[in-house]
Structures are given as C-alpha cells and as structure tokens.
Amino acid sequence: MGSKITIEFLIDFEEGDELTISVLNSGVLSTLGIWDWVVARVGAFEVTTGTPTGIVGERTAINFNAAFNLDILTGFTTTVTDNILEIESTTVGEDFSGFKALRFSGVRYVNGVDYNVTFENVVPVIDISNIDFALTRSPHYINTPFLFETTTSATYNLYIWSGDLTAVPLTPTYTLTKTRPAVNYQEFNTDISKLVSEQLDGKPIVNIALTTQITDSTNDEIKWLNYVVSYTDPVETIPNIESELIASEGFGYFLEGVNPTKPTNDILTNCDYRKVSRDGFVMLPFANVGNITSIDIATETLEINATETITSANNSNKAVQYLQIDVSQAITDEFLTVTFQQDSDVITYEIIDECRYETKQILFKNKFGFYEGITFFKKSTNMIDITSDEFVNAYISGGTYSTTDHQKQNINIQGTESLTLNSGYVKETENELYKEMMLSDRIYLYESTGLVPLSLKSKSLEFKNRVNDKLVKYTVEFQYAYNLIQNI
C-alpha cells in the first residue's frame, strides 16, 4: 500500500477554477499537476465542468478522476465513491505533500468548507524495531522544510512519556510555534534535546543476586518521544511531520555529525575488551529492540555458563536492558566472553586477581546515556579538603580579656573528600572507556553499602598507547559529590 490522498468535494467546481496537487519524492518537491476547469476538455490538465448530479460534488469527483487518469498515465490508482476521490501512489517513497484549490476569481477554496482533504502518507508501523535513538546531551534537530511560499509558521507538539509505546499522552508535554521570518526562509531546524533532558536523570541499579541476569533500565534513564509538526498555510493543505524516538541522556562526538544515535549492533558500549576484578561484576547495557535474541555468557572452563533469552517488548524500561554478571562465580577461570546473538558480536572480560590492593569499581553514564563500569586495580588514596572563614574577635570585658579564649576562630567550616585511583596496566582498547568517563555527567563508586556519588577532579587525561608508552595505565582523581558535614 502506497501513500494516499482522499478528496471529498463538498461543492461542484465551476469553470475557471483550479486545483493543484504536490508530491515529495526522496526529499524533492514537485507539482504533480495543475488542473483547470473548463466547459469541455480539449487539452491536457483540463477538467470538464459538467452538469451536477443529485449528490453535491459528485460530478466534480467523477470528471476530475477522468482527467487525472488521462494526464497521469502511470504511478497512481484512483477510486471514486460518490463525491469522494482517492488517489494512491504506487511509487515507494513518494508522499503527497500539498493540495490547493482556487476559485476562478483567485480566491481560495477552504478546507473543511468547500472540500475535505486527508493525507495518508506511508508511515512505518509503530514498532520498537524501527524507532531511532535521540541522545539528548547533543542537539537532536527536527528538520521542518517550507515547501510553499504561502506557509507562515510551524507548530511543534512534543509528547514525552514512560511505559507502553502505544500509550501516547492525550496532551502534549510541550507545544512550540515558530513563525517563518520571511518568504525566502527555507527551513527550521529545531533542537528538542534540552526539553527532553529535563526528564532524564537515571541512576544505576546493581543487582547480582544471580550469577547472570537481565535487568530493566529505569523510567528516569529512557523516555518515549513523539513529535507532530503542523503547518499554518492559508492556501496549501500540508500533511503533518510525525515521528517517534527513544530518548536517553547520551551524546555524540563532533565527527559523528548531526543527530547521533545508538550503534547498529545495539550493544551500548564502545569497548569490546576490558579487565574486571574477580570479586567484581559486569554491568553491560544493550538496546532490546528486536535484533538481539539471546546472550551467551561463558568462561573458558564453563565455571560461568549461561544463556539469557531476550524478548523485546513495547515498554520503555525494556527498550534498553542490562546484562549483569557476578564475576566472583568464576573461581579460577581467567576470561569471560559475552556473545550477542544473532550477529555473534563478542565482548571479552579479562578476570584479574588483585592480591595487594582493594579494587575500586566505578560506574559512569556512557556516551549512549547508560551505565557501565571501570575497575581500578591499584593504589587508592583519600584526602580531605577543608574550607572555612576566619573570625577575629576583639573581645574585652571589664577592662580585660581571657587568654584562654580564641581571638581568631574558624567559622563556616566545611569539608570535601577526594579519592585518587590508579588503574594498573590496562589494554589500549580501554582508552575509550576512560574518555567517556571523563565526559560523563554521572559517576558513582560502587561499594558494598551501595552507590557513592563522585565528580571528576581531574580535568585532563593523557591517553597512552603501546607504541609510545609501552604500558598503559592511568591515575584519576575524583571528589566525593557532597559536603562532608551534612548541611541539606
């Protein structure tokens, strides 16, 4: 089934009247035809006026259908029922983009009064498998082209929600109208990311009650987004622009171009080989949009050996899920492989026994807006920073003062703690993890008591490689993201 336009004629057109239909094919606007009503057709793109029937508009529908089929020989099918004409395109990717009707006097006919026109352009069935991601720490633009000189403005209705994909709210979350500044203004490119980011503030949930398990993302990590753009045009009747997106608080790099999105393999990490402590865990996000059917998890002698079956669902907190693995269940094995089916993409974890230092597990929000971890294996140090104001008291009583009282006294004392971590030697492939951690807006230290919020104190990191540096290791300084003295 192709795109379709349905025209219900509520009047019979008269001699001298004019009707224009426009189409959009692969982004190129063209006029399908401009038809003129005449007493009797003698040339192309002319419509015989004829004698009205007992149904208002029926003669116009019948005669316009006849003229259309004479003038447009291929690419369309037509059906007339009383005063209603349906025109359907048989060309894939071709949409109807405009309809205009003018009286012989030049005054326009009015949609809803003189005719009703409905556009039914082909839109993919709403299904999680064909919805793209919007990474809202970078701009996500809605391109709104002005196809006609008579268009004066565009109105954007944004619907943001959690839960079932099909449960679109009745009332838009945001409505924005933008006025076209001039006739020669060709398009709007409207960034919607900041509006969506206001509703995204997810935290990681670590769950390693089982050796392997699939856990859902939270409603604060991901949102459905639907937008509908409608035009204001006194002459043309123009179809709306509409789309659905999955929004997360990720970002793209400059060289990736406009509107960055998820990777094509749906595995939401950029590192396919990393180290993990034997007493640690794996937290690996992936997009559950129908392409990944199962995940195989195994160590070399099968101390860990499991398959997790993945079932997609049209619910926001299942659109992205986490694979979580308790690595401590591998007693002596040294490698853990995670294989995503159907495409057999592999992520490898090298299991490390650190005998001297207490390892530290850092969780951070990556460039796709979901959490993954870095393990720091070597020396860690804690430091406290104190801030205060000094008050000088020139006190005296009865002509004297006490030598045991403080003349200088610290007030407004507050402290923050910092944590310096050392990675130990890591694979060069882990550089991307450190890069994304440095750019992350949410970082946590995972301890047995739970999550501890951190912020980066280090403002730069020199990336190392084996050619220049032989061995790769990093030192990163964090600050606990709260005041030591509770003052909330």
Side-chain angles (χ1 to χ4, degrees):
M1 178 180 175
S3 294
K4 183 169 65 176
I5 183 173
T6 302
I7 310 162
E8 180 184 12
F9 293 95
L10 302 178
I11 61 166
D12 282 296
F13 280 27
E14 301 176 358
E15 182 183 355
D17 290 351
E18 179 183 287
L19 185 153
T20 304
I21 295 177
S22 302
V23 294
L24 195 66
N25 200 329
S26 299
V28 178
L29 177 69
S30 61
T31 300
L32 184 61
I34 301 174
W35 285 268
D36 295 309
W37 265 252
V38 296
V39 174
R41 175 183 168 109
V42 295
F45 295 95
E46 291 181 343
V47 182
T48 299
T49 302
T51 302
T53 69
I55 300 175
V56 175
E58 183 179 36
R59 175 56 57 196
T60 296
I62 293 171
N63 288 3
F64 178 51
N65 176 61
F68 184 93
N69 288 322
L70 288 171
D71 298 323
I72 311 296
L73 299 178
T74 61
F76 298 88
T77 60
T78 62
T79 305
V80 175
T81 305
D82 297 333
N83 62 334
I84 298 173
L85 171 62
E86 293 183 351
I87 303 172
E88 183 173 344
S89 173
T90 59
T91 303
V92 176
E94 182 174 61
D95 290 334
F96 292 96
S97 60
F99 179 91
K100 177 174 63 176
L102 299 176
R103 300 176 188 271
F104 64 88
S105 61
V107 177
R108 69 183 180 90
Y109 280 120
V110 179
N111 187 21
V113 177
D114 303 306
Y115 62 87
N116 289 319
V117 63
T118 304
F119 297 94
E120 296 178 70
N121 290 323
V122 173
V123 176
V125 176
I126 298 178
D127 181 85
I128 195 170
S129 65
N130 55 35
I131 299 179
D132 211 350
F133 274 56
L135 306 183
T136 62
R137 284 184 62 195
S138 292
H140 190 95
Y141 293 105
I142 301 174
N143 177 258
T144 313
F146 291 110
L147 304 177
F148 305 101
E149 291 186 352
T150 49
T151 304
T152 59
S153 66
T155 297
Y156 301 75
N157 284 317
L158 271 64
Y159 302 82
I160 304 169
W161 75 103
S162 300
D164 192 278
L165 172 60
T166 61
V168 183
L170 298 177
T171 304
T173 312
Y174 299 100
T175 297
L176 171 67
T177 298
K178 299 177 72 173
T179 301
R180 188 180 187 181
V183 172
N184 62 353
Y185 205 84
Q186 298 300 310
E187 63 183 11
F188 285 143
N189 287 290
T190 304
D191 177 18
I192 60 173
S193 284
K194 290 182 175 60
L195 297 176
V196 186
S197 283
E198 292 178 354
Q199 302 193 33
L200 294 169
D201 188 22
K203 296 179 177 64
I205 297 177
V206 178
N207 189 339
I208 49 175
L210 303 175
T211 302
T212 69
Q213 61 185 317
I214 302 298
T215 59
D216 296 338
S217 55
T218 68
N219 288 333
D220 291 328
E221 289 181 277
I222 190 168
K223 296 289 182 182
W224 299 125
L225 168 63
N226 170 274
Y227 63 81
V228 180
V229 183
S230 58
Y231 291 96
T232 300
D233 193 307
V235 177
E236 299 280 351
T237 302
I238 308 170
N240 295 339
I241 299 172
E242 183 172 358
S243 187
E244 289 79 27
L245 293 165
I246 298 172
S248 65
E249 208 168 20
F251 62 87
Y253 295 127
F254 176 81
L255 294 179
E256 292 177 329
V258 71
N259 291 357
T261 187
K262 68 175 179 65
T264 55
N265 67 3
D266 293 334
I267 305 172
L268 302 180
T269 182
N270 281 317
C271 181
D272 61 5
Y273 189 104
R274 71 188 77 183
K275 294 183 177 182
V276 64
S277 176
R278 191 174 298 278
D279 61 359
F281 61 91
V282 168
M283 190 171 189
L284 180 58
F286 63 94
N288 182 11
V289 294
N291 300 319
I292 296 172
T293 56
S294 64
I295 305 174
D296 300 324
I297 308 105
T299 55
E300 66 265 31
T301 68
L302 305 183
E303 290 178 338
I304 295 177
N305 183 30
T307 295
E308 296 287 350
T309 301
I310 308 303
T311 304
S312 61
N314 288 340
N315 197 292
S316 56
N317 63 4
K318 294 187 182 298
V320 170
Q321 294 182 304
Y322 290 93
L323 171 65
Q324 302 204 41
I325 306 170
D326 179 4
V327 180
S328 69
Q329 299 306 305
I331 307 302
T332 59
D333 282 351
E334 296 180 349
F335 292 92
L336 171 69
T337 58
V338 177
T339 306
F340 290 82
Q341 305 295 356
Q342 305 169 348
D343 295 335
S344 299
D345 294 307
V346 176
I347 307 294
T348 302
Y349 294 84
E350 182 179 350
I351 303 172
I352 301 299
D353 290 292
E354 174 53 52
C355 300
R356 180 177 179 182
Y357 297 102
E358 180 185 356
T359 60
K360 300 292 185 181
Q361 182 96 5
I362 297 295
L363 296 175
F364 66 95
K365 189 187 295 181
N366 66 16
K367 78 180 293 290
F368 303 113
F370 300 94
Y371 287 93
E372 61 179 316
I374 292 179
T375 305
F376 287 82
F377 291 93
K378 297 302 180 180
K379 178 182 176 182
S380 62
T381 56
N382 285 276
M383 186 173 71
I384 184 170
D385 294 310
I386 302 299
T387 60
S388 64
D389 297 317
E390 186 179 78
F391 171 70
V392 179
N393 189 351
Y395 57 86
I396 191 167
S397 177
T400 188
Y401 58 85
S402 172
T403 58
T404 60
D405 289 339
H406 291 73
Q407 184 183 11
K408 294 182 177 181
Q409 185 174 352
N410 289 334
I411 60 173
N412 300 327
I413 301 170
Q414 189 52 272
T416 55
E417 289 183 298
S418 59
L419 175 67
T420 301
L421 300 180
N422 288 275
S423 66
Y425 297 119
V426 298
K427 294 285 187 180
E428 190 177 329
T429 55
E430 294 185 62
N431 280 353
E432 180 62 29
L433 284 179
Y434 285 86
K435 181 179 179 180
E436 292 184 22
M437 182 187 68
M438 295 292 291
L439 294 168
S440 180
D441 63 349
R442 287 290 186 275
I443 302 174
Y444 295 90
L445 170 66
Y446 179 78
E447 296 183 333
S448 58
T449 55
L451 297 172
V452 180
L454 300 176
S455 59
L456 272 170
K457 199 170 183 180
S458 296
K459 299 303 181 184
S460 64
L461 193 67
E462 180 184 355
F463 291 109
K464 299 180 179 182
N465 60 68
R466 297 200 180 280
V467 174
N468 296 334
D469 306 289
K470 305 299 182 185
L471 298 172
V472 178
K473 61 180 180 178
Y474 295 108
T475 298
V476 183
E477 190 174 2
F478 301 89
Q479 182 171 281
Y480 290 89
Y482 50 84
N483 288 326
L484 197 55
I485 296 177
Q486 195 278 107
N487 61 350
I488 297 176

